[in-house]
Amino acid sequence: MVLSPQDIHNKEFSVKMRGYNIDEVNEFLDRIIKDYQLTLSENIDMKNRLKQTEDELKYFNGMKDSLNQSIIIAQNAADKVKVEAQNEANNVTEQSRKQADEILNDASVKAKDIVENISNQSKALLIANDDLRKTTESFREKIRTLLESQMQFVNSPEWDQMISGIDGNFDKVNEQINNLDNFKETVVQSEGKEMPADATIKIYPDGSFKAIE
């Protein structure tokens, strides 16, 4: 048991011969009591402070636990937000990729259709051009054949004979024409048949003529 200042103050010692000076002992004990009292007061104060410190430490530990819990909650919330944001970003990226793929596929299909249409038109144009070339070549060949035939006809000896016959029979033909004018309103005799004045007459290069019914 710890002695109190009062215990020290009330302590009595037996007196023997040649013992200590009682006054000096009492004085020294008084000093011890004061120092002890001061030490006890300081000890009590230190205990109170220690208790206060322990209470504060307990409070701060509680705050620390609360803060740690808040930090954990905040970290979990941040991780959740991060995961959700990453998922949202992944979804947006996936949607964007799908839309880009759809746009690219549509563009590819349209481009393919356009190229195929242009190719078909080009092929049709080439076929039409070839047909036109063949038709033009055939037409040119026909014209050339016709012209060659006409040139052969023009250059035939019959034309020279005809021209010579026309020159030789010009007077005779002229006379026949004049006779036709004179008998315009009368009946014309030809090859033993009667012809009206408005009958169609065919005149030959030798000056002869006949009616065409």
Side-chain angles (χ1 to χ4, degrees):
M1 181 176 180
V2 179
L3 294 175
S4 65
Q6 188 65 30
D7 292 334
I8 297 172
H9 183 270
N10 294 331
K11 179 64 177 175
E12 294 181 356
F13 299 94
S14 60
V15 178
K16 292 182 178 182
M17 293 297 295
R18 299 186 66 173
Y20 292 104
N21 188 320
I22 295 176
D23 293 335
E24 290 180 355
V25 171
N26 290 332
E27 182 181 358
F28 183 73
L29 289 176
D30 290 338
R31 291 179 59 187
I32 291 174
I33 291 171
K34 291 180 180 179
D35 292 340
Y36 189 70
Q37 181 68 39
L38 180 61
T39 301
L40 287 177
S41 298
E42 290 178 351
N43 189 23
I44 293 172
D45 184 61
M46 291 293 294
K47 286 181 178 181
N48 291 332
R49 290 184 180 181
L50 179 61
K51 185 177 183 305
Q52 183 179 0
T53 302
E54 289 176 349
D55 292 340
E56 292 178 352
L57 180 60
K58 184 177 179 180
Y59 171 76
F60 285 118
N61 285 333
M63 288 187 63
K64 182 186 73 173
D65 294 338
S66 178
L67 288 174
N68 289 335
Q69 188 67 26
S70 299
I71 291 172
I72 293 174
I73 295 173
Q75 184 64 40
N76 292 334
D79 293 339
K80 184 178 180 180
V81 171
K82 181 179 179 181
V83 171
E84 292 178 352
Q86 185 64 40
N87 293 334
E88 183 68 20
N90 292 334
N91 292 334
V92 172
T93 302
E94 183 66 18
Q95 291 295 330
S96 299
R97 186 186 64 80
K98 289 182 180 180
Q99 291 179 357
D101 290 340
E102 291 177 358
I103 293 173
L104 182 60
N105 291 333
D106 291 341
S108 298
V109 171
K110 290 181 180 179
K112 183 179 179 181
D113 293 339
I114 292 173
V115 171
E116 184 176 358
N117 188 22
I118 293 175
S119 178
N120 292 334
Q121 291 180 357
S122 299
K123 291 178 181 178
L125 183 60
L126 289 174
I127 293 173
N129 186 50
D130 187 64
D131 291 341
L132 179 60
R133 182 187 62 79
K134 292 179 180 179
T135 302
T136 303
E137 183 67 23
S138 176
F139 182 70
R140 185 182 69 172
E141 186 64 25
K142 290 179 180 179
I143 292 178
R144 181 168 58 190
T145 302
L146 179 61
L147 291 177
E148 289 177 352
S149 175
Q150 294 297 322
M151 289 301 298
Q152 290 177 0
F153 176 71
V154 171
N155 294 327
S156 64
E158 287 78 3
W159 281 94
D160 295 333
Q161 295 176 1
M162 186 180 296
I163 293 173
S164 298
I166 291 176
D167 290 340
N169 297 324
F170 177 77
D171 293 337
K172 187 176 181 180
V173 172
N174 189 32
E175 182 180 356
Q176 294 294 334
I177 293 173
N178 290 331
N179 290 334
L180 288 174
D181 291 336
N182 293 330
F183 294 99
K184 183 176 181 180
E185 300 297 333
T186 62
V187 176
V188 179
Q189 298 292 332
S190 176
E191 299 179 355
K193 297 181 181 179
E194 295 184 354
M195 293 184 298
D198 58 353
T200 301
I201 305 300
K202 182 177 181 180
I203 302 173
Y204 296 94
D206 59 356
S208 63
F209 59 88
K210 87 174 190 178
I212 300 176
E213 298 180 358

